[in-house]
Amino acid sequence: QVQLVESGGGLVQAGGSLRLSCAASGRTFSSYHMGWFRQAPGKEREFVASISGNGGSRSYADSVKGRFTISRDNAKNTVYLQMNSLKPDDTAVYYCAKDRRFTYGSSWSVGGMDYWGKGTLVTVSS
């Protein structure tokens, strides 16, 4: 059983920054490939960013590329999402998730995750 707890959400003005954190349980965190997803009101949950277990590979949705950075600290069992140049369209609940696959892949989907956090709300005002 893996528990994921997100934090760091809040209200920010357009152009501002936030850093989300996701603390994970488990003694083998460095083997977990991790992702961030988000769900805006009335929309489906969508992929935002992912990172391999050793941090050597990362991928991003086109909508956040160049603005968001995913990273991890395996000594702290934590994955981060640094969000810069935020836009009102970034408003959503952000979820941390663990990939069920053993091998890091370039395609990430909601159905491919086996554990989820409860989410943290990010609101970007215009």
Side-chain angles (χ1 to χ4, degrees), residues 14-109:
S17 298
L18 280 175
R19 189 176 83 153
L20 306 183
S21 298
C22 171
S25 65
R27 293 180 294 176
T28 58
F29 178 71
S30 62
S31 69
Y32 304 161
H33 310 306
M34 301 295 295
W36 286 97
F37 290 74
R38 68 185 181 186
Q39 187 165 17
K43 295 187 177 181
E44 293 186 352
R45 195 170 298 188
E46 64 176 5
F47 168 75
V48 174
S50 68
I51 188 167
S52 61
N54 64 6
S57 298
R58 310 177 192 195
S59 65
Y60 298 92
D62 288 343
S63 58
V64 307
K65 206 170 289 184
R67 299 188 298 122
F68 291 10
T69 302
I70 189 170
S71 62
R72 65 191 297 157
D73 184 339
N74 285 342
K76 296 182 178 180
N77 277 24
T78 302
V79 62
Y80 304 98
L81 186 68
Q82 177 67 43
M83 306 186 295
N84 298 329
S85 302
L86 283 162
K87 306 174 182 179
D89 284 350
D90 295 318
T91 294
V93 176
Y94 283 72
Y95 298 91
C96 173
K98 174 188 168 296
D99 188 4
R100 68 176 73 246
R101 296 171 295 185
F102 292 109
T103 301
Y104 180 75
S106 59
S107 177
W108 285 64
S109 65

